[in-house]
Amino acid sequence: MHTTVGIIGGGPSGLLLARLLHQAGIDSVVLESRDRDYVERRQRAGILEQATVDALRAAGAGARLDAEGLPHDGIELRHDGRATRIDFPALTGGRRVWVYAQTEVVKDLVALQLAEGGPLHFEAEVTAVEGADTDRPLIRYTHEGREKTLTCDYVVGCDGYHGVTRHAVPDTERRTFERTYPYSWLGILAEAPPVYDELIYAHSERGFALASMRSPSVSRLYLQVPNGTDPADWPDERVWDELDARLALTAEPGWRLTRGTVTQKSVLPMRSSVTEPMRHGRVFLAGDAAHIVPPTGAKGLNLAAADVIVLARAFAHHAKTGSTELLDAYSDTCLRRVWRAEHFSYLMTTTLHADPDQSPFDTRLQQSQLDRIARSPHAAAELAENYTGLPVDA
């Protein structure tokens, strides 16, 4: 079997790329190692930038997002006994973000791909990518109990940090820059109404807390915890009590969260990673295969979407003109945005979390930075611009 673009990974970036290519009249095949049920239930990001929403709408995947997604015009920072609201539209010329879970994005894109797009194979485990330097790279994979091959004009790896595609870039050319943070997030999904109509980021001496949501009746909440934390050591009541303590920085005495049934509990390690270059020969890396950010800045899914938007434009340009100019520029184009998002996520993370080894001096620096955001429209605008997302350059 042969296709123009072989896409490894059926998450949001791989599926969005397949959809954008389909609209441009470019054939593709998507290979996903997991089954459909797992892919559509995999809990990940929940915040979509303006550019991501615009791309999903243009791809024909915006109907349910517009009907069920929750547009947000700001976030609230809580620190030093006060709350500061960051007004996105006022500070960015009208941009905002949406709360719409990755699971729902994937469901929408899977449905479109199966109804209108090219082949989408679940439970297709890729074992190797060969011939990146040739004009016909090859993907080896196992599907329905048989070993198969797919030849392509191009291969795009949307298969994550631990996927096969990263290793198609030779060790002599591939550089990975990484940072591991000395804390993790304990996250819960709960059948409880959100504490507030926008996200709350709370900085306290007890550690960081985030109050988010998935819908008007489902809350997504996070606590900073030590690395290596076992979720079993945090019974539900303890989680709720600690969330109350960290979020009640500006609340009335006696304030408590509305508690509900916890349906999911997990620990998320925090790290940053960038792999360069994002292209070797006819193999391209996108999303987590090329970069990982701590979730504090809400960038992971959005960076992945930006990668494939840039790549789809480059493929369309090549198909129309025969020029490889945009394909050749792909890595440099994306890495400019990636490093900006990495820096923003790093600043948000290190400003809001309590490092277990930090000194009182470090804490004062954090408080000073949060105070500047609260007092300076310029500092607030910088945060709002980065949070809502920088333009996707092609």
Side-chain angles (χ1 to χ4, degrees):
M1 183 166 60
H2 180 81
T3 188
T4 301
V5 182
I7 301 172
I8 304 174
S13 58
L15 292 168
L16 178 58
L17 176 61
R19 180 64 184 171
L20 295 173
L21 293 177
H22 173 74
Q23 289 183 313
I26 301 169
D27 62 288
S28 68
V29 174
V30 181
L31 304 174
E32 165 56 46
S33 63
R34 302 284 193 161
D35 62 42
R36 179 178 179 180
D37 182 67
Y38 179 91
V39 170
E40 293 186 340
R41 291 176 179 270
R42 184 165 44 193
Q43 291 288 340
R44 292 292 189 272
I47 301 293
L48 305 183
E49 294 175 0
Q50 181 79 57
T52 304
V53 170
D54 292 344
L56 289 169
R57 287 171 173 162
R64 223 162 48 91
L65 188 160
D66 286 329
E68 301 175 18
L70 305 175
H72 280 200
D73 287 338
I75 58 173
E76 183 174 284
L77 301 179
R78 292 189 177 184
H79 60 102
D80 299 331
R82 59 176 165 166
T84 301
R85 183 175 183 270
I86 308 299
D87 187 330
F88 292 156
L91 294 165
T92 64
R95 295 208 306 274
R96 62 203 323 203
V97 298
W98 276 255
V99 173
Y100 191 65
Q102 176 176 309
T103 50
E104 307 311 307
V105 173
V106 169
K107 289 174 187 175
D108 296 340
L109 290 171
V110 165
L112 281 171
Q113 184 72 9
L114 294 177
E116 305 173 11
L120 166 56
H121 297 306
F122 293 103
E123 299 181 86
E125 184 174 358
V126 174
T127 55
V129 176
E130 301 173 1
D133 290 321
T134 71
D135 61 2
R136 184 157 292 199
L138 179 144
I139 301 172
R140 296 189 183 277
Y141 67 103
T142 302
H143 185 234
E144 296 176 337
R146 296 172 52 203
E147 294 185 359
K148 301 181 180 182
T149 59
L150 173 67
T151 59
C152 320
D153 293 340
Y154 298 93
V155 174
V156 181
C158 302
D159 51 342
Y161 182 87
H162 297 290
V164 168
T165 318
R166 288 179 73 248
H167 300 285
V169 181
D171 293 344
T172 53
E173 296 185 22
R174 186 177 72 243
R175 295 186 68 194
T176 299
F177 305 87
E178 294 185 295
R179 175 183 292 273
T180 300
Y181 297 87
Y183 35 70
S184 300
W185 277 8
L186 173 67
I188 66 167
L189 202 63
E191 294 176 355
V195 60
Y196 187 55
D197 57 2
E198 293 175 341
L199 274 65
I200 299 174
Y201 290 76
H203 172 273
S204 79
E205 62 182 15
R206 301 177 70 100
F208 170 76
L210 170 61
S212 182
M213 64 204 70
R214 286 294 180 265
S215 74
S217 60
V218 176
S219 290
R220 185 71 163 158
L221 302 130
Y222 299 95
L223 287 170
Q224 175 187 342
V225 293
N227 286 341
T229 291
D230 184 346
D233 293 335
W234 282 79
D236 296 355
E237 199 67 19
R238 183 186 178 192
V239 174
W240 288 116
D241 288 346
E242 190 62 26
L243 285 164
D244 277 330
R246 297 187 193 183
L247 290 169
L249 295 171
T250 58
E252 296 293 327
W255 175 89
R256 297 185 73 191
L257 287 162
T258 301
R259 305 187 178 198
T261 302
V262 175
T263 57
Q264 185 186 92
K265 189 184 299 177
S266 60
V267 170
L268 174 66
M270 309 278 281
R271 67 189 184 100
S272 301
S273 174
V274 180
T275 294
E276 298 182 0
M278 292 173 59
R279 176 199 180 177
H280 175 73
R282 293 198 171 210
V283 174
F284 298 81
L285 305 179
D288 285 1
H291 42 73
I292 295 170
V293 290
T296 326
K299 293 291 146 228
L301 170 57
N302 294 295
L303 272 183
D307 290 346
V308 299
I309 292 167
V310 170
L311 192 52
R313 290 174 182 170
F315 280 128
H317 180 74
H318 177 251
K320 184 176 181 179
T321 68
S323 170
T324 63
E325 178 185 6
L326 297 185
L327 288 172
D328 294 339
Y330 167 75
S331 182
D332 289 340
T333 300
C334 288
L335 283 170
R336 284 194 298 271
R337 196 174 197 273
V338 166
W339 278 111
R340 177 88 296 277
E342 289 282 357
H343 188 237
F344 172 68
S345 299
Y346 165 81
L347 287 177
M348 287 284 284
T349 301
T350 56
T351 299
L352 290 165
H353 290 74
D355 188 313
D357 295 324
Q358 78 182 39
S359 67
F361 181 87
D362 299 322
T363 302
R364 288 295 193 188
L365 290 179
Q366 291 176 320
Q367 292 168 343
S368 174
Q369 175 64 12
L370 290 166
D371 182 65
R372 172 159 173 76
I373 293 169
R375 295 176 182 274
S376 167
H378 301 291
E382 176 74 6
L383 189 157
E385 180 184 33
N386 281 278
Y387 197 100
T388 57
L390 302 177
V392 178
D393 297 321

